[in-house]
C-alpha cells in the first residue's frame, strides 16, 4: 500500500476521447501489501478504462471476498461498486446485468473466491455467457486468510509453511473455454503492456470475457528455498510463533516481446516461464485453444495472451430473449397488466 | 346402520395413484361443486415421487363456506388397490365406500357401518373404449360421473366443464363426455338412493374464485412489476415461477419485438438464486425468488448481506414439512424462526403471512413496495397447502390508481439539487432509512460502494466501533419503521369481556375460524387475531395482553409464532398456549376443536357437548 | 498535573501497524509481566488486511487477577504515525505517551494532563544496526526495552524470553537482546522516574498459563480423539485448525510409518466442510469443523440434516462481529440465535459457552462425548477475543481415567445378542436416543438407511403423518435428555436475599465478575449466573425466577441469550434487562459498571459514588 | 416401478465366489416411473457387485437428492446407505471415506444434483481423487421436480414444454478427466453388457472413478415432435392444466458391438448415437482422452466406454498421508496424548 498518493500524477496525460482524465478512473488508496500484484492489475484496469474512454459512472465493479476482492475500492472511484460475499460475485453480477443490460460489468475475484467456494457460480455464469469482464487475480493462495493453498496452486509447489501441494491445479482458463466463455485470456500482473490491451478487449467483448491474471502474493506465496532475506523473515516467524512481519516489496514487472518466453523470478526466488504468442487464427477454435494451452503446459511454460475468442456468442439476454430496454427502466405502464386483466383472470378461475 | 345424511356438507376422498391422470378428474369434480354455487375446498395429498404411489384428493363441500380441511372422511372413492384397506378402515361410521366392482370386494371388507357402493369402472371402461392408452384417463372420468349421480349433481355442469377443457380438441372431449355419462348412468341405474349425501345448487359462491396460492403469488409479482427472477426448482414453490413465466409470456411480451419484459434465470442453486435477486434489486429492478425450507437455509448468508448492506429483496417461502428434506410434499408452517432471524449476527427480517390466494396476490405485490421502501429483504410466508391447492376465496383485486412505491431512490436531478453532502447510509429524516441511487444515474454524484462489511455514513469501509454501533442502532430504528408499514393484524373482538383469545395466521385461518365459530356456538366467549406480519405492531401485543389465555394455533412443533411473540413483544409466556398441528396435512377444524376443548378442560373450562353439525360423527 | 500512579494495575496500549512485526514484540512484553508473577491480559486489535493498517495491542496488568478488558488507556506506546493523534487524545488524564522522538512531537500535541516520554527509536535503531531488513523488527524490541525500564521491570525476564524464543538461532537472539538493552538503558538514562506505573514481581500467577482459546480448543479435539477435520479458512477460526495440524504432527504421527492418525481436509467451502464432518461422524470417526458466522450461515442446511437424521457433529463457532462480513477481525457474541435454531423446520441445537482457554479445552472435548451420546450436532460458541487472544487462566487438565463416551453404538456382538428386531430410530429406553451402527459392522444385521426425509422407526421412508409426528416427539423428548447431560451453569448466590441477578457467558465472564465485585463493594447485593450451555436446565430458570431483576450481559445488539432464556424457559421478559456491549472490542469492565449503574438508576437504585480503584480516573 | 416383485428371480444363478446370491445385492422395491433408465442402472450395480463378489456390508452407498439419488434404496439392501441433501453427496462421501478407508464407497447422483447445485463439490471431490465410484444417472433434466433442464441438457434440445435449451451443455466426463479423476467412463442405462463391466472396473479402481450413464427420463425428457401416443398425453396435460399422467413405459435397451455406432430412439422419438470404442492404448493419456471425446462429439456421436484411466493416481489418503488403519478404528490409546503431555503443554505456556 502507499500512504501518500502524489497529488499530481501523470500530468502529461491529456484527457481521453470522452474528456475524462486518468484520475477520473482512479479509486481509493490501496490497503494491500506493498508490491502486491493485485495493485498492478488495478492500475491496468484504470489505464484500460481510461484508454477506452468509458464513462466511469457507466461501469459497475463487483467482487467477492479476499485481498483481490477488496481491490475494486482502489480503482474507478466514480463507479458504483459491490463487494459481496465470498465466492458469490457471479450471481450478483448476473442479477445486476439482468436489471440493466446497458451498463458495463467488471467483476474482480481471487483464485480462492473463484476456484474454491465460488466454483459452481463461476462455471454457471460462464455457461450462461453473462456479458461481463471477469478478472481473477490469481496468486495460488488465500491471501487474506494468510496463505493457505488455493485450488489453482501448482501441484508440487511448496507453501509458506513448507508443505507440498499434492492436489491437481485447476486451470480456470481451460474451464472457461470448455464451458462456453466468449473471450478467454491469461496474463501476468507485472506485464502492463499485455494486460491493458487484454482488459480493453475483454471490456469490449459482448458475453463472458474471462482473464486469469497471475498475480504474485508477496507475502504468502513463498517457499522455503528462498533468498537469504526471506529466510530471515521465516525464522522470525518460527521463533516468535506469530506471523506478523510483512517486508515491503516492489511489484514485479515483466515486459517481453511476442513469441518469446520470459522467465520471471517471483519474490521467493521461484521461477515461472511466460510465453506470449502472437494472435493466431486458431483462437476462435475451442479445441485448438485448449490444445495450445495444454501444449505449452506440457513444456512447462504458461501461455499468455488471448487464448480463445468467439465474437458471436449469444449472451444471457439473447438466451432469455429479454427486451432491449433495461428492465430497471420499465415503469408501471410497461409492466402492470391492470385491473381489467385481473378481472378476466378471476373469471377464468370460476 | 345410520347412514350419513347431508346436503352440501361432507368430505369425499379420492384414493388414487399418482401419474394415473386422476388429479384432473378429481379437480373436475371439485370445480363442478363450485360451479353449482357451493363452497368447496380440495386438498391434494401427493407423494414425493412421479408415478405409482398412493395419492389422495380430499374434497370438502360446505355450504356455510368453511373451506378449511375438516378432518374425517365421509365418503371414499377407492381407486388404489394399495391403500384400499386403509381407506376402508378410515371411513367414519355411516360413511360410503365407492369402489371398482370389476373385481369383488375382498372378503374381509365387511364393516356394517359403511355403505359399499360398487361401480365396475374397469369393465365399463374396457367395454366402451378401444384405445388402450386412453383407458386409465377415461376410467377416472367414469368414477366422476358415477359420483355425480350418487350425489345428485347436475350432469350438465360437469359435461360443460369437460367441453370447456377440451375446447381446442373436441375429438378428446367426446370420449370424456361419454365416460362421464357411462359412470353417471350406471350409478343412477344401480345405486339410486344409496347415498344420502347431496350436492344441491346454491348461491353461496358469489364472485368467489378457485385458485391456487402460487398462481396468485405469481400474479402479484407480475402486477407489482417484478422483472428479474432468480430461482431453483423445489417443491412446492416451483409452480410460482412456472406461473410467472406463463403470465410473463402473456402480459409481458414486447409488442414490437416479441421479446420479454422480464428475465427469468434458472440458477444453479438457491445461493445463486438469491444472489441474482440481490444483484438485480441493487441495480434498480424489482426482483424475487421463490423457494422452500432447504432453499431458505442455503440463502441464509446472502440474506444477512442484504440486511446489512440494505438491499431490497423479495422472497417467497412456500413452506413444507421440515426439518431437512422432511416430507417434501406435505405442508407446514415451520420456517418462521429461520426466516425471521436468517443469517449470523444481529439480523431480522420482516415476514408477511397471507391466508388465501387473494392475500398471496396482495402481499406479494406489497412485498415489493415494502422491500424497496425499507431496503431490506421481505419474506412472504406461504405454504404447500396454500400454494399448491386450489382455494375457494374472494377474487383478486388491483387498485387502478395504485403506484409502485420505489422507496428512497435519488435520480440525477435530485442529486443535483442536494444541498448537503450525500451519504448512502446517512439517515436524514429519522426513520432509519437512507436514500440510495442506482448505478449509472449521474456522472459525478451519488456513487457509493456497497459491502457486507462495516462502513460509515458515506459508505467508506470502517472498523471503528462507534461507527459500527451507530449504524446498527440506525438499523434498529429502521425496524421500528418496519412495524409502521406492515399490514395490521385482523383482530375480531366479538366480546369485549372475553378472557380467551385465539391467534393464528396463514393457511390455518379457515380451520381456525371454523373452530372459533363452534366455540361461540357453545357459548364460549373468545376473541381472535389473525397475524399478518412480523415484526408485530402494538395492537398485536395489546391483544395478547388483553386476554387471560391466548391460544396460538400453528402448524409446527415448536410454536414458532408463539416464540416470536414472546421474544419480540416481551409477552408473558405462560399466557400463550401453543396448539400445534404439524403432521404435514393441512390443519383440520375438527382437530382444532378437540385440541381447544382439551386445552380448556386442562384449565378447568368444560364445554357443553353439542353434536357437531357437519357431516360425519366423530 | 496528577500523574497516574499504580503498581501492577494499569493498561498499556501499543499503537502500531500490522505486518511490521510488532505483535511478537508486544507479546514479549505481556509475557514478561506474566513471568514476573503478575496477572496480565493482552488484547490484539487488528484490521482485516495483511500489511500497513493500524493495529493496537492493549495490555492490562492487574494484580488482583481481573483479566477482562478494563476500558480506558493509561499509557500509549505510539509507534503508528497514522493514529498518533487519536492515540494521544484517547489517553486518560494523568496518562503517559511514549513515542518515537527521532522526529519531534507535532506542535499541537500539547495536553498538559499527559506525560510525553520520547525515545528516539529510529535513531537508536539505525545507529546500532546495519541490516536494513531487520531494523523494523529490532525497533520494536527497542520500545519494549524502553517500556521495561519505564515500568521498572526486570530486564532479565525479558532477555530470557528472547533467548528462549531464539533458542534455535542464537545469531538472531543476539541483536534482539542488544535492541532490548538499547531501549532499556535509554529510558533508564533519560526518563528515570518519569513514569509512576510499575510492574512489581508478585506471586499471584501460581500455576496459571497464558494461552489462546483456539490452541486450547485444538488440544481439546486432540485429546478427545478427533480424527477427521473438514474446514475452510476464516478468521478467527483458522488458527484452531492450524493448531490442530501442529499438534497432530506432534502427537498423532504413527511411530512405524510416519503417517498421520488424522485426516485434515481443507474443503472448498463451508458447506463441504460440515458435510465432511457429518460423513465422517456417521461413519464412526470423531470429526469436527471450526468456522465463524458466515460459515455457520452456509452450514445451515447440513445442520438440519444432522439434527433430523441424528448424526453427531462437533462445530466450533469462533464468533466475530456480524451481520454479514461485518467486522471480521472484531469480536462479538452474536451467532446464538442462528446457531440455536440453525436450519429450516423445527430444529434446535445444543450450544456450549466456554469462558476461558481451559473451558475451550474441556468443552471441546465434552462436545465430542455429547454429540455422540446425543447423536446431534453440538456447537461450541467461542469468539474472536477468546479464541485469538492470549488469556491468563488456569492450566488445562485431563483426567487420566476419562473414557470417551461413544454413545449408543452397537457392535457385531451386540447385534447378534439382540432379542428384538432392531430399529435405528426406535427408542428402547425412553431417553429419545436410539442406537446406531457403523457401516461394515455386521454382514447381516444392523444395516440401515440414513436420510433427511421422514422415516419410520426402522429407517424406512415414510410420508405417514403419525409416523412423522412420533419421530418429532421423540426428538423433543431427546431435547430433555440434552438438558440433563449439558454442563450446569455456575451460579453464585452470594446473598440469598439479593433481589438482583446478573447473567453472562463466554468471554464476557472476567469483565462481568469484575463489575459485580465493584457492585458488591458498593454494598449492592447481587447474585450471578454464568451460563455454560443451551438448552437450559431448571437451575437456570430458577435463578432468573428467584430475582426481581436480572441483567443479561452480552456482546450483541439484540440480546440473543436473553431471547433464548425468554423462549425456552418461558421466563418473564420484563424481568430480564439487556446489557449490550457490541462495538466489536472485548467488553470492558468499566463499560459494564457504568451500564449497570445506569440501568439501576433508571430503576431508582442510586449507587454510592466510590473512586474506582484501578489505574486511570474515568 | 414394479408393485410385485417375483419371489424367485434368477434361480439359475449360483452363488458368487464369496458365497452370496444375487438377491443379497438387491434392494427395496423401486418407486421410480416404469421404464426409468435409473432402474436399469440399479440392476447393473447389483449385477456388478454380485459378479465382483463384494461383501455387501462392506459397501457404502451415498447420494444427494433427486429420482436418481433415491435409487440407493433400490439396490444393495445389506449396505449402509446415506441419502443426503441436494448436491452435497461428495462432501459426505469425503468424510465417510476419511473415517474408514477400508470400505467401498459408491455414490449415485443426478445431473441436476451434480452439474448444478453440486458442481463445486463434484469438482473438488474429483480434484482430491477421492477413492470412490461416482455414478451420475444423466437424464438431462430434473426428474423429481418435473422436468426442468439440467446443465447437461444438450444445447438446442427441446424440453417438455417445447422451449429450446440455448445453454452450453456441460460434459461431466471431460471435466472429470481434466480435474484429475483416475478413471472416467460413459455408458447408456440400457446397455447392460457395457455398463456392468464398467461399474466393476470403477469399483476396483483406487481413487476417483467417474461414470456418466445416459439414463432417459421416460416422463419428462420429451419433445413436441413425438409419437402420436405421446401427443395425446401432452394434449391432455394442456387441456387440464395439470401434469398428472405418466404413461407406463418399458426401459430402453441398447446392446451393440465394439467399434460400431448404435442409434437409440428415446421414448419421445428423439435419437441419440452411441459409439463404443475398443479399449485404446491412449486412454491413459489425458489429452488424448479429451481429444477422443471431442472428436466424436464433433461427429454428433456420443463416445462410450472407458474414456480415461490412470491406475497410479494418488488418492486423498495418499495426499494427506493418513495412516493405513481406518481412523474410526483407533482408540483412546491411539489418539489421546494423555495428561503428562498436557502438563508439558501447560508448562510451555508459562
Ligand atoms: C463464507 C466465507 N468463508 C470464508 C471467508 C474467509 N475468507 C476471506 S478471504 C478468503 C480467501 C481469499 O482468497 P482469494 O480469493 O484467493 O483472494 P486473495 O486474498 O488471495 O486475493 C477467505 C477464505 C469468508 N469471508 N467468507
Ligand atoms: C436445496 C434443495 N434445492 C432444491 C431441491 C429440489 N429438488 C429435488 S430433486 C431436484 C433435481 C433433481 O435432478 P437430478 O439430480 O438430475 O435427478 P433426477 O430426478 O433427474 O434423477 C431438485 C431441484 C432440494 N431437494 N433441495
Ligand atoms: S497478502 Fe498477498 S494477496 Fe493479500 S495484499 Fe498482501 S501481497 Fe496481496
Ligand atoms: S421422473 Fe424421470 S427420472 Fe424420475 S423416476 Fe420418472 S422417469 Fe425416472
Ligand atoms: Mg488468492
Ligand atoms: Mg436428472
Amino acid at each position: 500500500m502507499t500512504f501518500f498518493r502524489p497529488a499530481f500524477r501523470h500530468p502529461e496525460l491529456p484527457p481521453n476521447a470522452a474528456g475524462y482524465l486518468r484520475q477520473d478512473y482512479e479509486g481509493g488508496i490501496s490497503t494491500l501489501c506493498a508490491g502486491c500484484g493485485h495493485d498492478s492489475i488495478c492500475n491496468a484496469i484504470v489505464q484500460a478504462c481510461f484508454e477506452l474512454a468509458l464513462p466511469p459512472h457507466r461501469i459497475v465493479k463487483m467482487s467477492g471476498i479476499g485481498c483481490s476482492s477488496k481491490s475494486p475500492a482502489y480503482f474507478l472511484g466514480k463507479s458504483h461498486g459491490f463487494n459481496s460475499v465470498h465466492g458469490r460475485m457471479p450471481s450478483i453480477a448476473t442479477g445486476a446485468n439482468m436489471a440493466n443490460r446497458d451498463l458495463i460489468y467488471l467483476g474482480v475475484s481471487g483464485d480462492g473466491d473463484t476456484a474454491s467456494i465460488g466454483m459452481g457460480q463461476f462455471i454457471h455464469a460462464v455457461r450462461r455467457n453473462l456479458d461481463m469482464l471477469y478478472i481473477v487475480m490469481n496468486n495460488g493462495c488465500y491471501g487474506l486468510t494468510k496463505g493457505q493453498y488455493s485450488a489453482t496452486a501448482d501441484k508440487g509447489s511448496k507453501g509458506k509453511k513448507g508443505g507440498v501441494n499434492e492436489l491437481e491445479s485447476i486451470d480456470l482458463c481451460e474451464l472457461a473455454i470448455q464451458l462456453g466463455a466468449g473471450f478467454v485470456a491469461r496474463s501476468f500482473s507485472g506485464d502492463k503492456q499485455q494486460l491493458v490491451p487484454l482488459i480493453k478487449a475483454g471490456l469490449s467483448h459482448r458475453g463472458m470475457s474471462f482473464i486469469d491474471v497471475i498475480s504474485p502474493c508477496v507475502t504468502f506465496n513463498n517457499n522455503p528455498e528462498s533468498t537469504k532475506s526471506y529466510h530471515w523473515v521465516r525464522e522470525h516467524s518460527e521463533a516468535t510463533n506469530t506471523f506478523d512481519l510483512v517486508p515491503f516489496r516492489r511489484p514485479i514487472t515483466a515486459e517481453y516481446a511476442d513469441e518469446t518466453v520470459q522467465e520471471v523470478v517471483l519474490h521467493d526466488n521461484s521461477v515461472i516461464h511466460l510465453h506470449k504468442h502472437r494472435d493466431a487464427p486458431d483462437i476462435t477454435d475451442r479445441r485448438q485453444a485448449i490444445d495450445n494451452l495444454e501444449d505449452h503446459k506440457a513444456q512447462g511454460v504458461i501461455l499468455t495472451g488471448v487464448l480463445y475468442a468467439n465474437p458471436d456468442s449469444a449472451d444471457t439476454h439473447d438466451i432469455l430473449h429479454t427486451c432491449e430496454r433495461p428492465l430497471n427502466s420499465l415503469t408501471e405502464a410497461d409492466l402492470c397488466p391492470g385491473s381489467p386483466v385481473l378481472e378476466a383472470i378471476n373469471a377464468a378461475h370460476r | 346402520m345410520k347412514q350419513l345424511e347431508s346436503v352440501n356438507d361432507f368430505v369425499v376422498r379420492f384414493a388414487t395413484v399418482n401419474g394415473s391422470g386422476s388429479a384432473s378428474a378429481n379437480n373436475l369434480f371439485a370445480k363442478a361443486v363450485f360451479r353449482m354455487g357451493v363452497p368447496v375446498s380440495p386438498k391434494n395429498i401427493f407423494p414425493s415421487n412421479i408415478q405409482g404411489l398412493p395419492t389422495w384428493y380430499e374434497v370438502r363441500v360446505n355450504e356455510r363456506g368453511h373451506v378449511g380441511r375438516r378432518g374425517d372422511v365421509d365418503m371414499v372413492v377407492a381407486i388404489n388397490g394399495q391403500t384400499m384397506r386403509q381407506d376402508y378402515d378410515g371411513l367414519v361410521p355411516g360413511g360410503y365406500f365407492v369402489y371398482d366392482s370389476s373385481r369383488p370386494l375382498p372378503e374381509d371388507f365387511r364393516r356394517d357401518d359403511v355403505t359399499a357402493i360398487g361401480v365396475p369402472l374397469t369393465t365399463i371402461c374396457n367395454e366402451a373404449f378401444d384405445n388402450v392408452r386412453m383407458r386409465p384417463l377415461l376410467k377416472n372420468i367414469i368414477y366422476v360421473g358415477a359420483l355425480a349421480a350418487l350425489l345428485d349433481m347436475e350432469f350438465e355442469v360437469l359435461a360443460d366443464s369437460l367441453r370447456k377443457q377440451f375446447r381446442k380438441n373436441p375429438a378428446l372431449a367426446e370420449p370424456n363426455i361419454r365416460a362421464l355419462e357411462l359412470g353417471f348412468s350406471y350409478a343412477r341405474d344401480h345405486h339410486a338412493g344409496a347415498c344420502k349425501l347431496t350436492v344441491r345448487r346454491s348461491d353461496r359462491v358469489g364472485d368467489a374464485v378457485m385458485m391456487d396460492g402460487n398462481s396468485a403469488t405469481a400474479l402479484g409479482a407480475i402486477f407489482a412489476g417484478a422483472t428479474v427472477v432468480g430461482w431453483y426448482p423445489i417443491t412446492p414453490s416451483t409452480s410460482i415461477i412456472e406461473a410467472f413465466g406463463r403470465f410473463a409470456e402473456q402480459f409481458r411480451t414486447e409488442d414490437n419485438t416479441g421479446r420479454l419484459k422480464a428475465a427469468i434465470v434458472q440458477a444453479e442453486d438457491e445461493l445463486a438464486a438469491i444472489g441474482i435477486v440481490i444483484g438485480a434489486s441493487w441495480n434498480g429492478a424489482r426482483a424475487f425468488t421463490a423457494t422452500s425450507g432447504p432453499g431458505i437455509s442455503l440463502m441464509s448468508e446472502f440474506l444477512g448481506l442484504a440486511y446489512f448492506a440494505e438491499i431490497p429483496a423479495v422472497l417467497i417461502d412456500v413452506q413444507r414439512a421440515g426439518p431437512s428434506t422432511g416430507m417434501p410434499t406435505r405442508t407446514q408452517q415451520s420456517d418462521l424462526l429461520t426466516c425471521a432471524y436468517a443469517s449470523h449476527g444481529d439480523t431480522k427480517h420482516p415476514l408477511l403471512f397471507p391466508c388465501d390466494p387473494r392475500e398471496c396476490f396482495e402481499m406479494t405485490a406489497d412485498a415489493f413496495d415494502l422491500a424497496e421502501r425499507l431496503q431490506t429483504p421481505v419474506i412472504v410466508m406461504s405454504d404447500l397447502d396454500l400454494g399448491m391447492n386450489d382455494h375457494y376465496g374472494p377474487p383478486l383485486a388491483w387498485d387502478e390508481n395504485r403506484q409502485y412505491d420505489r422507496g428512497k431512490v435519488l435520480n440525477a436531478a435530485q442529486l443535483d439539487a442536494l444541498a448537503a453532502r450525500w451519504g448512502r447510509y446517512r439517515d436524514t429524516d429519522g426513520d432509519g432509512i437512507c436514500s440510495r441511487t442506482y448505478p449509472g444515474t449521474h456522472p459525478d454524484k451519488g456513487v457509493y460502494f456497497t459491502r457486507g462489511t462495516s462502513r460509515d455514513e458515506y459508505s467508506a469501509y470502517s472498523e471503528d466501533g462507534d461507527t459500527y454501533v451507530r449504524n446498527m442502532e440506525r438499523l434498529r430504528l429502521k425496524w421500528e419503521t418496519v412495524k409502521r408499514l406492515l399490514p395490521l393484524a385482523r383482530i375480531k373482538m366479538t366480546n369485549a369481556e372475553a378472557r380467551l383469545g385465539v391467534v393464528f395466521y396463514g393457511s390455518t385461518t379457515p380451520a381456525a375460524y371454523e373452530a372459533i365459530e363452534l366455540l361461540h356456538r357453545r357459548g364460549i366467549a373468545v376473541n381472535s387475531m389473525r397475524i399478518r406480519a412480523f415484526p408485530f405492531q402494538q395492537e398485536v401485543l395489546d391483544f395478547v395482553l388483553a386476554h387471560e389465555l391466548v391460544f396460538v394455533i400453528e402448524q409446527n412443533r415448536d410454536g414458532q409464532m408463539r416464540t416470536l411473540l414472546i421474544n419480540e413483544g416481551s409477552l408473558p409466556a405462560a399466557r400463550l398456549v401453543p396448539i400445534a398441528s404439524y403432521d404435514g396435512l393441512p390443519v383440520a377444524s375438527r382437530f382444532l376443536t378437540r385440541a381447544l376443548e382439551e386445552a380448556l378442560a386442562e384449565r378447568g373450562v368444560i364445554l357443553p357437548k353439542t353434536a357437531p353439525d357437519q357431516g360425519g360423527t366423530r
Side-chain angles (χ1 to χ4, degrees), chain B residues 19-24 48-53 82 133-134 137 165-166 169 172 231-233 238 242 266 268-271 298 325:
Chain B
S20 65
S22 58
S24 50
S48 174
N49 93 327
I50 303 300
Q51 186 201 56
L53 286 186
Q82 293 170 277
R133 292 174 191 277
M134 279 184 80
L137 276 178
Q165 229 175 50
F166 294 102
N169 198 335
L172 273 180
W231 75 293
Y232 189 71
T238 306
E242 286 171 348
Q266 183 183 322
E268 59 275 24
D269 62 15
E270 287 86 352
L271 291 93
L298 289 172
T325 309

Side-chain angles (χ1 to χ4, degrees), chain A residues 31-38 67-68 139 141 143-144 216-220 246:
Chain A
T31 61
L32 303 177
C33 302
C36 177
H38 300 354
C67 293
S68 33
N139 54 13
C141 73
L144 193 55
C217 172
V218 302
T219 305
F220 295 106
V246 180

Side-chain angles (χ1 to χ4, degrees), chain B residues 52-311:
Chain B
L53 286 186
T55 302
W56 293 272
Y57 191 85
E58 195 175 292
V59 181
R60 177 173 193 190
V61 178
N62 188 283
E63 169 96 30
R64 301 165 56 89
H66 291 310
V67 289
R69 201 170 138 254
R70 190 196 72 184
D72 300 332
V73 175
D74 303 330
M75 173 184 254
V76 161
V77 181
I79 307 299
N80 182 2
Q82 293 170 277
T83 62
M84 202 143 128
R85 177 88 248 170
Q86 121 190 34
D87 295 324
Y88 186 77
D89 293 346
L91 266 177
V92 298
Y96 301 88
F97 185 73
V98 182
Y99 67 101
D100 183 351
S101 56
S102 310
R103 291 215 278 167
L105 210 53
E107 291 278 305
D108 55 344
F109 278 53
R110 31 176 91 244
R111 279 178 65 174
D112 55 11
D113 58 351
V114 157
T115 308
I117 302 179
V119 183
L121 299 170
T122 310
T123 313
I124 297 176
C125 187
N126 292 356
E127 281 172 6
F129 302 105
D130 293 334
N131 186 330
V132 180
R133 292 174 191 277
M134 279 184 80
R135 276 184 190 159
L137 276 178
L138 294 170
K139 197 170 92 176
N140 299 336
I141 302 296
I142 296 173
Y143 73 64
V144 172
L147 193 63
L150 293 172
L151 299 172
D152 278 344
M153 290 174 70
E154 300 169 14
F155 182 84
E156 265 313 299
V157 172
L158 289 143
D160 252 11
S161 291
L162 278 174
R163 268 178 226 117
K164 250 187 236 165
Q165 229 175 50
F166 294 102
R167 204 173 30 231
K168 290 195 198 140
N169 198 335
L172 273 180
E174 190 270 326
N176 273 284
I177 291 179
R178 225 179 104 225
L180 194 71
E181 264 165 359
L182 287 170
F184 195 87
S185 50
Y186 183 93
R188 190 192 46 204
D189 298 347
H190 297 78
H191 299 293
C195 169
K196 304 212 164 60
L197 305 176
T198 310
V199 180
R200 186 180 301 155
R201 183 167 280 281
S202 170
D203 56 359
R204 288 297 305 259
V205 157
D207 66 351
V209 296
M210 289 273 287
M211 193 186 278
D212 61 294
N214 282 356
S215 293
T217 296
L219 282 167
I222 287 278
F223 274 71
T227 53
V228 178
V229 183
W231 75 293
Y232 189 71
I234 187 167
T235 308
S237 69
T238 306
S239 59
I240 292 179
I241 310 296
E242 286 171 348
F244 185 88
R246 276 196 312 274
F247 292 129
E249 292 282 347
Q250 251 182 299
F251 306 121
R252 288 284 190 76
T253 306
E254 240 183 5
D255 290 340
N256 44 347
T257 63
R259 285 166 174 273
L260 221 53
K261 289 181 283 187
I264 306 173
V265 187
Q266 183 183 322
E268 59 275 24
D269 62 15
E270 287 86 352
L271 291 93
I274 187 76
I276 288 167
V277 171
I278 292 172
S281 300
W282 176 79
N283 210 5
R286 292 197 145 183
F288 79 103
T289 189
T291 190
S292 191
I296 297 288
S297 288
L298 289 172
M299 292 177 182
S300 172
E301 188 195 18
F302 252 141
L303 286 171
L305 173 75
Y307 170 82
F308 196 55
E310 300 182 67
I311 302 169

Side-chain angles (χ1 to χ4, degrees), chain A residues 137-256:
Chain A
M137 299 180 169
N138 188 349
N139 54 13
C141 73
Y142 290 10
L144 193 55
T145 53
K146 308 211 162 173
Q148 298 82 9
Y149 286 120
S150 81
T152 66
D154 284 336
K155 195 167 173 173
S157 67
K158 287 191 186 165
K160 190 81 197 161
K161 285 152 197 158
V164 173
N165 176 37
E166 300 193 23
L167 289 160
E168 285 301 322
S169 161
I170 293 181
D171 184 332
L172 292 170
C173 286
E174 209 169 312
L175 278 185
I177 296 171
Q178 197 178 311
L179 294 164
F183 176 93
V184 177
R186 175 167 282 141
S187 190
F188 179 70
S189 58
D191 186 358
K192 205 171 168 173
Q193 271 183 331
Q194 182 188 50
L195 187 51
V196 172
L198 286 180
I199 294 173
K200 286 165 70 175
L203 285 168
S204 309
H205 172 85
R206 188 159 166 283
M208 171 61 75
S209 314
F210 176 72
I211 311 182
D212 180 40
V213 189
I214 296 163
S215 175
C217 172
V218 302
T219 305
F220 295 106
N221 223 353
N222 310 300
N223 73 53
E225 290 95 49
S226 60
T227 58
K228 199 164 134 272
S229 71
Y230 228 85
H231 258 306
W232 193 79
V233 173
R234 234 186 40 256
E235 274 163 9
H236 167 77
S237 301
E238 267 166 26
T240 60
N241 217 340
T242 60
F243 183 81
D244 65 346
L245 181 70
V246 180
F248 276 70
R249 300 279 180 160
R250 289 185 184 289
I252 297 168
T253 55
E255 305 206 336
Y256 59 108

Side-chain angles (χ1 to χ4, degrees), chain B residues 351-374:
Chain B
L351 314 178
L352 300 175
F353 301 98
C355 80
D356 59 16
R358 183 190 185 127
E359 276 195 348
C360 285
F361 175 77
E362 284 174 5
M363 287 187 173
T364 301
D366 291 350
F368 288 93
D369 284 357
L370 288 166
E372 292 197 321
R373 166 63 43 192
L374 298 165

